[in-house]
Amino acid sequence: MTIMAADPVLARRAEIQRIAEATDHRRQLLSRLALLACRACLVITLIPLVALLVYVVIRGASAWSWAFFSHLPTPAGIPGGGIWNAIVGSIIIDAIAAAGAIPFGIAAGLFLADSDGRIAGTVRLAADVLSGVPSIVVAIFAYAVLVAHGIGHFSAVAASFAIGILMLPVIMRASETAIRGVPTVLSEAGLALGARRATIARRVVLPAALPGLLTGVLLAVARGAGETAPLLLTTINSQFFSASPTKPLAAVPLVIYENGIQAYPDLVKIAWGSALFLIVMVLVLSVGSRLVAARLRRVRYE
Amino acid sequence: MSDPTTVPAAAPPAPDAVPLASPGAVMTLRDVSVAFSGKVAVRDVSFDVAINQVTALIGPSGSGKTTLLRSLNRMHDMTRGAVVSGSIKLGTLDVYGPAMAPTLLRSRVGMVFQRPNPFPTMSIYDNAVSGLRFNGVRNKALLDEAAESALIAAALWDSVRGRLRAHASTLSGGEQQRLCIARALAVEPEVLLMDEPTSSLDPSATKRIEELIGELKDRVSIVIVTHNMQQASRVSDTCVFLLMGEDRAGELVEAAPTTKLFSAPSDPRTDDYVNGRFG
């Protein structure tokens, strides 16, 4: 090592360290300010959410009682009504919607994850457009196809059809993401063992993607369960109990829509109770899907 | 275990014996332990990083080489639950002391990672001077000078001088790794940490990086993690051999001049490892 050769390096090192130290204070300050701005934005975005939750809980919790969940609606002015028929209706409508949307959504997601050609691009674009279509547009489509023509009258399955269409793009894109997250080396390991693509998908890729698939599906169901516009034009609502999908059924979002603007305090109270019910449902589905997904991952990787 | 930082007095000094005592040391580690959420990953490691020399950390997987390396420039600060104890000094400065700003420390102790990681949105030039800009350097002449010097030192200048504005992703894997070395060198650090810098490269790119390491010694003291013993014997002056202890924490077995560690190790476990009997 010669001192001569090292000299410019040493000089530059001294200069760079001098600048770094001289500007350190200013850079630290800027960094802190930026961090503070991020935190402030976080708090600001949380305010509406927290305010909404608190308000709904306060207004809705007082409506919750055994009768609220187990009774049928009562006419205006008569206290003691419940949303039992709406809960059953919602479960039937959303279950049928999910049963239709999940297989198609996951299959389409599998296709999208596996292909990058023109067809896949078109499908992907279509899914994105579909997820941006206002739900009332899907509703009037379902009305035209099933209520006005196909079945000929208002029914729960027409609502399931509309909600299923709304769930489809969400499940598709979530599945694609989940499946793309499975390392290529796993598919290649399957290929190298002589497996067919369908076998690899069924035995290797889909099981590995299961936690992500589950999260996507449950989030789509949670979103679908809160949709109101498609219900208005398809199942309209019912004050009676029925579990027949071909008949108009009650649904929880409709209870909010119809009772929320009434002049009778009892009915308004039921609307708030239903709002809280929907929020709790979404919460249970989201938290539940995360817990199950986390559990699946833990079982697999530990 | 005897003090691992001193070559036993009985051993005759090798011709290229490395002064391990503090006077020639740019960094000193004393009883360094690293734990993650209470789980000890590295325990009570002591050795010196000799100035203008190459120090190799060797040992099988799980022996804590990378964990130890990352404690030298406080990369564990970003990991929740990580605790580094013991003493690590850069010169006479306490690396984990209250007066040490981690960002300034990292501008003096640079790092090169396992896989080439040039910033994908930056040109070759911008990558090379990125560290300087992060540290507040605005002077164009200084940026240009440092970039050229670092790219020359990384043996990349001749092939990129005509396309400094091209994206870094247009380079081959080996070139990208040399750009990452240049990027680290441009800040003129005193120590360069290299975490298996050739593990994702082909043999010819590996050879070039190894040659480079030998040439860079004049400029910067190097600590390199490698799982390749041939590489350690080719590029390093001092070897630090780590092994996973009974409770899965990495421990230092032997630190010695490379020639001695490979030809006449003091510890039978070192002998077994360097002669390929395990690991």
Side-chain angles (χ1 to χ4, degrees):
Chain A
M1 185 177 96
T2 57
I3 298 297
M4 292 297 284
D7 244 351
V9 168
L10 291 180
R12 202 158 52 236
R13 175 178 296 165
E15 175 68 359
I16 290 166
Q17 288 184 0
R18 188 190 62 74
I19 294 173
E21 270 168 50
T23 57
D24 186 54
H25 188 68
R26 181 177 56 84
R27 286 183 290 126
Q28 204 171 23
L29 199 72
L30 284 174
S31 174
R32 290 219 176 114
L33 279 176
L35 212 63
L36 202 69
C38 290
R39 294 218 172 107
C41 289
L42 174 74
V43 171
I44 290 168
T45 45
L46 281 177
I47 287 172
L49 174 70
V50 171
L52 180 137
L53 278 177
V54 168
Y55 194 69
V56 172
V57 167
I58 290 172
R59 296 284 310 252
S62 62
W64 279 23
S65 64
W66 177 242
F68 174 76
F69 293 105
S70 60
H71 284 195
L72 293 179
T74 49
I78 299 171
I83 60 165
W84 168 235
N85 61 337
I87 293 174
V88 171
S90 269
I91 289 173
I92 291 171
I93 291 168
D94 295 328
I96 295 174
I102 291 170
F104 283 109
I106 291 180
L110 186 61
F111 167 73
L112 289 182
D114 208 33
S115 3
D116 280 312
R118 193 181 297 167
I119 302 174
T122 312
V123 173
R124 211 169 279 130
L125 179 68
D128 286 344
V129 170
L130 188 58
S131 66
V133 170
S135 55
I136 190 75
V137 175
V138 176
I140 199 163
F141 173 67
Y143 173 84
V145 172
L146 288 182
V147 179
H149 295 100
I151 300 175
H153 55 80
F154 290 110
S155 67
V157 277
S160 301
F161 176 71
I163 289 178
I165 289 178
L166 290 168
M167 288 177 175
L168 196 58
V170 182
I171 297 177
M172 242 161 98
R173 295 311 297 267
S175 305
E176 183 189 350
T177 311
I179 292 164
R180 276 189 191 272
V182 178
T184 334
V185 288
L186 293 186
S187 321
E188 285 177 349
L191 274 181
L193 290 167
R196 286 166 214 284
R197 282 171 77 195
T199 315
I200 295 169
R202 190 164 54 85
R203 304 283 284 271
V204 178
V205 175
L206 287 179
L210 194 61
L213 294 177
L214 206 75
T215 311
V217 163
L218 287 180
L219 286 180
V221 170
R223 249 202 70 187
E227 285 289 351
T228 315
L231 303 172
L232 288 171
L233 301 190
T234 50
T235 182
I236 41 170
N237 204 356
S238 161
Q239 297 299 311
F240 311 105
F241 181 87
S242 169
S244 167
T246 55
K247 291 195 174 130
L249 295 185
V252 180
L254 291 173
V255 176
I256 303 173
Y257 173 73
E258 291 190 352
N259 289 14
I261 51 172
Q262 297 290 337
Y264 299 92
D266 281 340
L267 295 184
V268 174
K269 203 171 162 188
I270 284 181
W272 282 107
S274 305
L276 181 61
F277 178 76
L278 275 184
I279 286 184
V280 169
M281 284 290 299
V282 170
L283 198 71
V284 166
L285 283 177
S286 315
V287 173
S289 72
R290 279 181 193 210
L291 286 181
V292 175
R295 196 182 158 72
L296 282 175
R297 289 205 177 92
R298 205 167 46 239
V299 165
R300 215 160 290 163
Y301 297 116
E302 270 187 15
Chain B
M1 194 185 298
S2 65
D3 184 356
T5 60
T6 50
V7 180
D16 54 350
V18 177
L20 284 172
S22 297
V26 63
M27 293 192 91
T28 54
L29 292 82
R30 292 294 175 268
D31 300 319
V32 174
S33 298
V34 186
F36 297 103
S37 308
K39 234 179 113 180
V40 182
V42 171
R43 175 176 297 121
D44 292 342
V45 172
S46 303
F47 67 91
D48 289 354
V49 178
I51 191 160
N52 293 112
Q53 302 258 342
V54 178
T55 305
L57 305 183
I58 61 170
S61 303
S63 57
K65 308 181 291 287
T66 296
T67 301
L68 186 62
L69 188 79
R70 292 168 72 91
S71 69
L72 297 185
N73 64 344
R74 294 184 60 166
M75 291 294 276
H76 296 308
D77 283 19
M78 299 295 141
T79 314
R80 198 172 284 264
V83 177
V84 178
S85 55
S87 152
I88 301 179
K89 284 192 168 148
L90 173 64
T92 54
L93 294 169
D94 188 352
V95 165
Y96 285 85
M100 179 64 81
T103 48
L104 290 179
L105 168 72
R106 295 188 198 112
S107 73
R108 299 176 60 178
V109 182
M111 191 164 213
V112 174
F113 298 81
Q114 273 189 29
R115 303 180 68 88
N117 55 356
F119 298 120
T121 57
M122 293 186 194
S123 68
I124 293 169
Y125 177 84
D126 288 337
N127 261 287
V129 300
S130 56
L132 295 164
R133 287 192 171 137
F134 295 159
N135 279 290
V137 177
R138 295 278 176 276
N139 178 344
K140 179 89 172 90
L142 181 55
L143 290 178
D144 287 350
E145 180 195 322
E148 181 174 343
S149 165
L151 287 167
I152 290 171
L156 202 56
W157 179 248
D158 289 334
S159 65
V160 303
R161 62 187 302 176
R163 49 181 175 129
L164 288 173
R165 297 286 157 203
H167 267 279
S169 53
T170 57
L171 300 174
S172 72
E175 286 173 330
Q176 287 190 17
Q177 190 64 310
R178 273 181 281 143
L179 177 59
C180 291
I181 293 173
R183 179 174 71 182
L185 287 177
V187 193
E188 300 297 352
E190 287 138 84
V191 180
L192 184 62
L193 310 176
M194 305 179 101
D195 185 4
E196 298 188 25
T198 62
S199 63
S200 66
L201 302 179
D202 65 41
S204 71
T206 298
K207 184 158 177 282
R208 297 206 64 171
I209 302 266
E210 286 185 6
E211 288 163 2
L212 201 57
I213 291 170
E215 292 159 14
L216 291 176
K217 274 200 280 184
D218 287 354
R219 189 178 181 122
V220 62
S221 312
I222 294 174
V223 184
I224 180 171
V225 164
T226 175
H227 55 206
N228 178 332
M229 278 175 295
Q230 282 71 40
Q231 182 169 75
S233 71
R234 283 191 297 265
V235 304
S236 72
D237 304 294
T238 307
C239 262
V240 176
F241 174 49
L242 301 169
L243 208 52
M244 191 161 75
E246 276 175 17
D247 61 346
R248 308 184 68 81
E251 294 175 339
L252 188 145
V253 173
E254 189 168 357
T258 302
T259 44
K260 178 183 178 298
L261 191 121
F262 278 88
S263 60
S266 320
D267 194 294
R269 290 172 295 175
T270 315
D271 197 23
D272 286 349
Y273 184 71
V274 299
N275 288 302
R277 281 192 283 276
F278 80 95

